[in-house]
Amino acid sequence: MQSSKSSLAALTIGAIGVVYGDIGTSVLYAVKEVFGSGHVPLNPANIYGILSIFFWTLTVIVSIKYVVLVLRADNHGEGGLIAMLALASQAVKDKPELRKWLLGVGIFGTSLFYGDGVITPAVTVLSAIEGLEVISPAFKDWVVPLTLIVLFVLFFVQKSGTAGIGKFFGPVTLVWFATISVLGISHIVRHPEILYAMSPHYAVLFMFHHPGTTFIILGAVVLCVTGAEALYADLGHFGKRPIRLAWFSVVMPSLTLNYFGQGALLLADPSAVSNPFYKMAPNWLLLPLVILATAAGVVASQALITGAFSVTKQVIQLGYLPRLNVQHTSVRDTGQIYIPFVNWGLFAAIVLAVVMFRSSSNLAAAYGIAVCTDMLITTVLTFFVIRYGWKYPLWLCIAATGWFFIVDFTFFASNLLKLLQGGWFPLLIGGCIFTLMMTWKQGRALLNEKLRADAIDLTSFLEAVFVSPPTRVQGTAVFLTGEPGTVPNAMLHNLKHNKVLHEHNLFVTVRSHEVPWIGMNKRLEIESLGHDCWQVVLHYGFKNDPDVPRALEQIRGRGCEIEAMTTSYFLSRDTVIPTIGGGMANWREKLFAQMHHNASAAADFLHLPNNSVVELGSKIEI
């Protein structure tokens, strides 16, 4: 009992660090952007109204939608947009057109995650370091260079893994939440009447008297819930209970106290609107607060970078991106990975964002639109999960998700007003990623179609071969093939050039499925083809690590004894040749051919031993 309590406490502290780092640092800029926009005159009635909107936005979107509803939609214990997409597509698998549409929407939402992944570290670290300007205006020219240095160090250490520093994330963020709570309380005690703003009628009054202004400022209000998607995305790491406990016991109270503290400060000193968060602190505390805010910003950024690695690996498994070099940074935790291409691609885009926008206020205009779109997509997918997956009545599904759809759509529409001020930037990144994903998926489909059209039936081929069998050599040959029951090109080339056949031959197909995990007990299907040949299908979830040699150990005792020293792995290395008048536009075929050429080696992705791999190439026109 004691160990289970300590485990819950450890998971809760971990959740505070990883899950809530992003939403926890929103206090740095959210209030400033609403009042700094110039759309809301600074007077007591408006301060009460805006704080009420903040409080109820946190309550409706985070507490009710994500913590209560969306966390229930786990996919075998996993969360996130990919897991929700898999659940929704499985729920409507008997409706192919609807399933195709949902997959497109879900993949677009996943693409926008990368746009969010660029803006979050940029705006979080930049807004933290901007506290130096409050200490002295002389530091203004140092803000952007220092931001870039901090971000470079953060991305540089990714290749070493985060196991060493990860244990500090929870405590650092806990100190951050304690600090922002104390700062808030110190001003609330001077103006305790600010707590009346918790009443929803202040929000209603503000919206009633200023409907146009309300719609405009929602694009800034949404900054207080950026990072809400992380609650669901990190479900598999921490579980529902620690995430819920962390939110209601620490995060929500801390955010509320700080926002209301900023409101109390503005009641007393309207000039503090230039940077109400840092103006809350006494002068002696400013420098330590900047350092702590930067550390909290790094933690928030780290969670998003780690998420980008994880999402990329899942998308590769689902077949929407080519294989990339995935490095494991921990021998104990298979979830700790590093993808160099994603790491430095994100860093380059973040540098571009910081240099181009140069302040957190300018970046805030770009922030929000990707977040709101993902929130809207999550709501849509949730409807299909509870309607078709859980079989709830239609009226209940509409009641459960319809209200959230209206709220999410209103925030989304408001953010569209910021499209020209910077909202285009994450959408451009997301659009480029979406184009790459859909080009790869469609290109793979065309390639497989071409391979199937030219394929030879494996059973018939083996019967013909063994009428007059070639020389058999000792050992086992493992032929990797995309489709079961077809002759791999690598085997054809091997017979043509080497004129030999191994003593044992395995024809192995690796299948990825729309579930997070598939256990070892369901990993392997094997069928004997006679003449010491077997057809093998290996099954993996989108969070599993494909490891072919380890999976093939299970066939021992089934007539084929695999020995590592006498096993060779044969792969077909196809070169794609774009042709005019094919299945895609010519530029997309050229893009696919380039992606196919640059994909990391299948041998590395499948964990094949380097000294036992034979690659045989061929050219394929699509």
Side-chain angles (χ1 to χ4, degrees), residues 126 138 153 282 359 379 394 447 520:
L126 197 53
V153 172
S359 77
T379 301
L394 181 61
L447 184 59
M520 290 300 286

Side-chain angles (χ1 to χ4, degrees), residues 256-274:
T256 302
L257 286 170
N258 193 266
Y259 283 129
F260 280 71
Q262 290 187 47
L265 171 65
L266 293 176
L267 284 177
D269 180 13
S271 67
V273 72
S274 59

